[in-house]
Amino acid sequence: WFLLQYMSGFGNEHVSEDPRCPGALPEGQNNPQVCPYGLYAEQLSGSAFTCPRPTNKRSWLYRILPSVCHKPFKPLEEGHLTHDWDEIEPDPNQLRWKPFEIPKAPQNKMDFVSGLHTLCGAGEPRGRNGIAVHIFVCNTSMVDRCLYNSDGDFLIVPQQGKLLITTEFGKMLVEPNEICVIQQGMRFSVEVFGETRGYILEVYGAHFELPDLGPIGANGLANPRDFLVPVAWYEDRQVPGGYTVISKYQGKLFAAQQDYSPFNVVAWHGNYTPYKYHLEKFMVINAVAFDHADPSIFTVLTAKTTRAGVALADFVIFPPRWGVANNTFRPPYYHRNCMSEFMGLIKGHYEAKEEGFQPGGGSLHSMMTPHGPDADCFEKASKAKLEPERVADGTMAFMFESSLSLAVTKWGLQTSNRLDKNYYKCWEPLKSHFNPKCK
């Protein structure tokens, strides 16, 4: 699997066929009377048929059997997914979580689906407007089962352990410091290689796109060519004991049985695909004279609302870079925001909070809840000799930012038992330096 191949380009029209079946893609049309090799043609639509061309998303899959060949779906009681944002009273406080615990394998085997836990979110999948933040912890691979999300798109951020993800479009290996996006309706199965943990940003009703660059110009931030799409790969495998297809539908899980692998797509073409991206490829932009630039300059992907410039969700990173601003408090500024900010840490130490914010943990600064550097960071940065310096070497923190006001689940506030009840204390040592006689 370390020799996996990819095609490059964000949102491109790709074509791919498994080399074992050359010519599997029909010539010049999408659904001929008889497809090559006796395959079935199936379209996967990621947008309304009548969307304008720039936002029209669809792919044609040429498969051994169509997806419709399965037994009826039945409710599946597994994992800890929810979109019941009223199960517990809202909490406007600054919240921080210690690293989420990964269960030990022999006593408690848990795969990607059974290890999904909803931490916070807002909105509603039936109305096709909202987001959710999930944590996944697992220690075993999905065997003869796959998942697809009828509600929206998953942006997956592995933090510990690599993921070998088999999709209908092919295979992707996604390691910490990489991300992948599995869009609405795409079936996938996750293989892991030990104790594994990460974060998921789910959006209902919008797809992720690259942010507009404005006066930055034609190049910068996440470049389109660095996004990788898998190449076609199929298995013609019967599963007499039953293959389980799991659908996340209206916030709940349902399972259906079939007797064959769903990864039976011999060839495909289109612009609606899963994709991955390595965060080290991000072209960082920063202030080179004075002041701390707004963190929007670190946006990798955005899911837009209908309001110009307002995101349903942004995926933002804080990568290694140079800090050179003169006469400037260089760490993130103190802030109250009309957006909600969830932060996670893949590795290293976040600059504004060297202690307490750990890889595999997280924090949530809710709408208009004040936040900023802790007392230790403020004192150091206020007295530091300002020379060009490397910032965040060996570190990768990220933020899921949303225009929605996020509710935290009961699992997040209580059941997980990872909430740091002392988080607020990191600001208590901040003291007044005000002196009206000294400017």
Side-chain angles (χ1 to χ4, degrees):
W1 45 260
F2 47 86
L3 295 175
L4 291 177
Q5 292 181 299
Y6 302 93
M7 299 174 286
S8 79
F10 187 88
N12 284 13
E13 285 282 344
H14 289 291
V15 297
S16 187
E17 54 186 29
D18 190 303
R20 291 172 286 177
C21 294
L25 278 171
E27 291 269 340
Q29 65 178 120
N30 292 324
N31 54 325
Q33 184 177 21
V34 178
C35 292
Y37 297 99
L39 297 170
Y40 288 85
E42 179 179 286
Q43 184 175 199
L44 177 62
S45 293
S47 66
F49 292 140
T50 48
C51 275
R53 284 207 176 210
T55 56
N56 207 302
K57 305 288 183 193
R58 58 85 189 93
S59 286
W60 281 90
L61 313 177
Y62 300 93
R63 53 196 322 149
I64 296 165
L65 274 175
S67 303
V68 74
C69 299
H70 63 79
K71 297 284 193 288
F73 281 98
K74 296 176 180 174
L76 178 67
E77 298 298 328
E78 197 172 302
H80 297 81
L81 293 175
T82 183
H83 65 277
D84 178 2
W85 311 126
D86 297 315
E87 65 177 351
I88 195 166
E89 285 295 303
D91 188 340
N93 286 301
Q94 301 94 346
L95 301 175
R96 182 167 70 189
W97 289 271
K98 301 167 188 171
F100 296 97
E101 291 178 324
I102 308 169
K104 301 296 178 191
Q107 313 92 293
N108 189 2
K109 281 197 170 183
M110 193 173 277
D111 70 10
F112 181 84
V113 174
S114 54
L116 286 170
H117 300 76
T118 307
L119 187 69
C120 58
E124 214 275 320
R126 281 172 292 193
R128 307 291 294 120
N129 182 48
I131 77 161
V133 175
H134 311 287
I135 303 297
F136 68 89
V137 288
C138 53
N139 53 35
T140 191
S141 298
M142 293 171 68
V143 178
D144 289 339
R145 52 195 234 144
C146 71
L147 172 67
Y148 71 94
N149 187 352
S150 304
D151 295 334
D153 294 7
F154 279 151
L155 187 157
I156 301 172
V157 185
Q159 183 272 320
Q160 178 179 323
K162 53 182 176 276
L163 311 174
L164 180 59
I165 303 178
T166 302
T167 77
E168 295 171 277
F169 295 79
K171 291 174 179 271
M172 300 187 294
L173 183 68
V174 187
E175 303 187 58
N177 231 32
E178 293 184 304
I179 60 159
C180 72
V181 173
I182 310 285
Q183 304 194 74
Q184 183 186 15
M186 297 173 180
R187 297 172 178 208
F188 68 102
S189 185
V190 179
E191 188 177 337
V192 299
F193 305 90
E195 294 183 358
T196 306
R197 174 174 57 206
Y199 312 83
I200 298 175
L201 171 59
E202 179 184 15
V203 294
Y204 322 132
H207 294 303
F208 289 103
E209 52 190 281
L210 295 172
D212 295 322
L213 293 179
I216 292 172
N219 308 284
L221 309 189
N223 288 309
R225 72 182 183 126
D226 293 324
F227 288 81
L228 301 179
V229 172
V231 296
W233 175 88
Y234 77 90
E235 59 179 6
D236 184 10
R237 181 165 68 92
Q238 298 299 303
V239 187
Y243 193 103
T244 305
V245 176
I246 302 167
S247 171
K248 179 183 179 291
Y249 176 74
Q250 295 188 7
K252 298 184 183 299
L253 295 180
F254 296 84
Q257 296 297 312
Q258 58 189 49
D259 57 10
Y260 63 96
S261 167
F263 304 118
N264 62 357
V265 176
V266 178
W268 61 267
H269 76 85
N271 64 352
Y272 189 54
T273 68
Y275 53 88
K276 74 169 201 167
Y277 175 76
H278 201 299
L279 301 179
E280 284 182 3
K281 306 255 185 197
F282 189 81
M283 190 197 120
V284 186
I285 287 174
N286 207 357
V288 295
F290 60 87
D291 277 355
H292 188 291
D294 293 331
S296 45
I297 60 165
F298 300 130
T299 302
V300 180
L301 291 168
T302 184
K304 294 178 177 177
T305 66
T306 53
R307 288 178 292 159
V310 179
L312 178 65
D314 284 331
F315 174 63
V316 179
I317 62 173
F318 301 96
R321 58 199 182 276
W322 282 96
V324 298
N326 286 322
N327 192 30
T328 294
F329 182 77
R330 290 180 179 176
Y333 42 71
Y334 292 97
H335 195 201
R336 291 181 297 156
N337 198 352
C338 64
M339 310 281 274
S340 302
E341 303 179 20
F342 173 83
M343 284 196 62
L345 186 60
I346 298 169
K347 61 179 182 176
H349 301 275
Y350 179 55
E351 60 196 283
K353 295 183 183 70
E354 293 274 342
E355 302 298 324
F357 186 49
Q358 299 169 276
S363 70
L364 176 65
H365 298 139
S366 295
M367 205 167 273
M368 290 302 171
T369 295
H371 52 279
D374 61 23
D376 187 49
C377 175
F378 177 83
E379 294 299 332
K380 281 183 185 171
S382 299
K383 297 167 184 166
K385 186 179 179 186
L386 293 182
E387 297 176 321
E389 62 177 338
R390 291 292 295 166
V391 178
D393 271 344
T395 291
M396 188 62 77
F398 69 87
M399 179 165 65
F400 300 151
E401 184 173 64
S402 175
S403 59
L404 303 182
S405 187
L406 304 184
V408 184
T409 60
K410 187 175 181 182
W411 181 83
L413 288 175
Q414 296 178 0
T415 322
S416 68
N417 204 28
R418 304 310 292 156
L419 198 63
D420 181 355
K421 301 284 175 60
N422 294 317
Y423 183 30
Y424 71 95
K425 292 181 180 176
C426 75
W427 292 288
E428 286 191 333
L430 286 166
K431 58 183 185 288
S432 171
H433 297 279
F434 177 62
N435 183 350
K437 297 176 182 175
C438 177
K439 188 180 173 188

